[in-house]
Amino acid sequence: MILFKKASDINAHLSELKRNDSSIGFVPTMGALHAGHISLINSCREKNNITVCSIFVNPTQFNDTKDFENYPSTLEEDINMLEKSGCDLLFLPDMSEIYPDGIKNTPAYDLGYLETVLEGKFRPGHFQGVCKVVHQLLQIIPCNELFIGQKDYQQCMVIKRLIESANIHSKIIICPTLREADGLAMSSRNMRLTEANRKAALQIFETLLYLKDNLSAGDLSSLLAKANAKLSSAGFKIDYVSIANADNLQLITEWDGQTKTVAVIAAFLGDVRLIDNMLLNSN
Ligand code: PAF
């Protein structure tokens, strides 16, 4: 695996490979890698000649400075995992490579409704930060395919919108969420859970299954109230438990029995914020 720190160096290297018709796949990450990230690398390798991964903990997407400061960092292990996975190139930029003009004067992105609900509502500015970094990374790494995990369901939609509106020639490939044996969605933040909270965390998955098993046409308020109660009694401080249209994230309070839906949850255990989602009435 070749490691690049300079944007101009990796861009020159990839542009040359592209001229020779290599297909380039890209997996952006914030490090603290786990098997979920490696499954993205594997999917990328299956479909592309060259697999690029980036590790950059992007300050502009953290609406809470404590969350940024506490974000886990395991660089040596990350590099070992990537080497073993067969990743070809690792981009490890510092701030000045991603934000050469600083973070103040960066453009704003029109994300419309997506920025007003769920993660957009509870983490103001988060998706602007995601767009800034992903846009910049895609300018540096001219990939054919960009691999993102379904665990960040709303982020996938935001990045799709960014790619369309900025006319970027990369195809987004959304890969399924990888889960621990008991069902907890893999996340870099899981490593910050205490032993007791790690056990309690499973309730997010259980609650999603409960919503899936009990979804029926009509008013959803009592189903959602029961889901909220399950999480609260397991010790969660809840940001939201919602059911939304899976295609546009419009919240659904009365289900017509047909619309494709997704259940989405964000909740804290201690100071660790976990998110997860599940498609309810399709695959
Ligand atoms: O999903 C993530 O890890 C981050 O939001 C991303 C896409 C790498 C941008 O920093």
Side-chain angles (χ1 to χ4, degrees):
M1 182 171 75
I2 314 176
L3 194 155
F4 289 89
K5 292 195 164 178
K6 294 270 165 238
S8 54
D9 290 347
I10 193 166
N11 181 268
H13 185 87
L14 289 171
S15 301
E16 180 59 29
L17 288 171
K18 261 206 136 171
R19 270 192 290 279
N20 297 330
D21 273 351
S22 287
S23 78
I24 295 165
F26 175 39
V27 181
T29 80
M30 298 206 297
L33 302 184
H34 50 69
H37 294 110
I38 300 306
S39 78
L40 297 179
I41 298 280
N42 292 339
S43 304
C44 183
R45 289 186 66 222
E46 271 168 31
K47 299 183 67 220
N48 293 280
N49 313 123
I50 302 292
T51 292
V52 185
C53 177
S54 65
I55 298 180
F56 178 69
V57 184
N58 172 36
T60 66
Q61 71 185 77
F62 288 84
N63 55 309
D64 174 352
T65 41
K66 272 209 194 104
D67 189 25
F68 175 56
E69 282 157 14
N70 290 333
Y71 201 80
S73 168
T74 56
L75 187 57
E76 213 171 301
E77 288 96 317
D78 293 351
I79 293 176
N80 284 335
M81 281 171 91
L82 289 171
E83 290 267 18
K84 281 200 193 111
S85 74
C87 177
D88 300 295
L89 308 183
L90 170 61
F91 182 40
L92 202 59
D94 67 16
M95 275 292 280
S96 64
E97 297 297 314
I98 299 295
Y99 296 110
D101 303 321
I103 52 176
K104 290 262 157 63
N105 299 321
T106 45
Y109 294 84
D110 175 11
L111 300 174
Y113 168 77
L114 275 181
E115 209 175 0
T116 66
V117 280
L118 305 170
E119 291 302 278
K121 176 171 166 190
F122 283 89
R123 300 187 67 192
H126 168 62
F127 287 131
Q128 289 295 326
V130 169
C131 285
K132 280 174 197 172
V133 72
V134 172
H135 196 179
Q136 182 64 0
L137 285 168
L138 289 176
Q139 273 160 347
I140 298 167
I141 296 169
C143 63
N144 302 79
E145 294 186 327
L146 171 72
F147 290 77
I148 302 280
Q150 192 205 306
K151 178 171 165 285
D152 295 291
Y153 195 90
Q154 193 169 1
Q155 171 171 276
C156 295
M157 287 187 156
V158 164
I159 294 176
K160 254 191 208 165
R161 187 175 169 127
L162 166 73
I163 285 178
E164 277 160 24
S165 62
N167 202 15
I168 296 167
H169 300 287
S170 304
K171 185 175 170 200
I172 181 167
I173 311 285
I174 298 171
C175 301
T177 303
L178 234 71
R179 298 184 178 279
E180 303 289 355
D182 63 0
L184 176 67
M186 289 188 186
S187 162
S188 305
R189 288 186 169 85
N190 293 352
M191 57 181 87
R192 294 191 48 237
L193 291 168
T194 61
E195 205 176 314
N197 282 347
R198 167 64 189 82
K199 280 191 192 132
L202 173 60
Q203 280 309 313
I204 292 201
F205 179 62
E206 297 284 338
T207 304
L208 290 169
L209 286 178
Y210 173 80
L211 290 169
K212 188 175 173 78
D213 290 345
N214 291 283
L215 180 72
S216 63
D219 181 10
L220 299 181
S221 52
S222 132
L223 178 65
L224 289 170
K226 284 182 190 140
N228 266 279
K230 272 168 86 63
L231 285 174
S232 298
S233 63
F236 283 91
K237 191 178 133 299
I238 300 167
D239 271 355
Y240 57 80
V241 177
S242 300
I243 292 177
N245 181 316
D247 294 326
N248 57 24
L249 284 186
Q250 291 286 341
L251 301 184
I252 298 178
T253 49
E254 182 91 25
W255 185 46
D256 60 11
Q258 311 233 312
T259 302
K260 195 174 140 197
T261 58
V262 60
V264 281
I265 292 178
F268 285 88
L269 273 174
D271 66 349
V272 182
R273 187 172 185 275
L274 299 174
I275 62 170
D276 200 355
N277 66 80
M278 188 177 282
L279 291 166
L280 298 185
N281 55 324
S282 60
N283 61 16

